[in-house]
Amino acid sequence: MMAKLGVYDLAVRYGKLTAISDLSLAVAEGERVFVSGPNGAGKSSLLSAIAGAVRAAHGRIEMDGEILSGLGAEAIARRGLSMVPEGRRIFPGLTVLENLSVGTGMRRDRSAVADDLETVFTAFP
C-alpha cells in the first residue's frame, strides 16, 4: 500500500546546525502518528519541512504519491496539507476554530473541510 504521506531520508539544516539527519517515516491513510522528543530534537523542523515552511537539505517528501519536496508552503497548502503552529505562533485574538480555519482558506471542498474539522474536534475535544 502506498503511504498517504511519506518522508524519506530527510535532512534539515540551519546553516551548519543539523536539526534532522536521515529521517524516514510513512503514514497510511487513516493512521495517526505522534512525534515526541525533548526540546531541540527536530519535531518542529520535521513538521515545518513537511509543510514547506523550511527547505530540506536533502530527502524526499511525498503526499498521495506526489513529490512535495521543493514546493513552497502555499503550494503544499493548496494540496491540502498545512501546519497549525502552537503557542506564540497562533493568532491569539482568534478562537481555536478560527485558527484552524486559517489553514483551510485555499481548499475548495468546504464539506471536506467541515469533515476534517469534525475529525480534529473529535480527536481533541
Side-chain angles (χ1 to χ4, degrees):
M1 174 189 345
M2 180 182 296
K4 178 81 173 170
L5 176 69
V7 178
Y8 308 98
D9 299 319
L10 182 72
V12 175
R13 295 188 183 95
Y14 302 100
K16 292 183 179 187
L17 174 70
T18 299
I20 298 172
S21 177
D22 301 319
L23 181 141
S24 295
L25 64 89
V27 182
E29 182 151 358
E31 185 176 32
R32 289 182 175 87
V33 174
F34 177 76
V35 179
S36 179
N39 289 343
K43 303 176 299 290
S44 294
S45 294
L46 167 63
L47 297 176
S48 294
I50 292 171
V54 299
R55 189 167 298 279
H58 72 77
R60 188 175 80 252
I61 301 167
E62 297 180 1
M63 184 175 75
D64 295 328
E66 179 182 2
I67 296 175
L68 302 180
S69 307
L71 297 178
E74 181 179 347
I76 292 171
R78 288 188 188 280
R79 287 159 173 81
L81 192 153
S82 61
M83 185 172 93
V84 178
E86 52 80 29
R88 65 191 176 277
R89 290 180 255 160
I90 63 171
F91 299 105
L94 301 182
T95 66
V96 170
L97 176 59
E98 290 167 336
N99 268 283
L100 290 171
S101 296
V102 167
T104 68
M106 292 182 240
R107 293 179 61 189
R108 293 190 176 127
D109 186 348
R110 300 320 289 171
S111 67
V113 169
D115 290 346
D116 289 345
L117 289 172
E118 180 63 30
T119 298
V120 169
F121 284 123
T122 298
F124 303 101

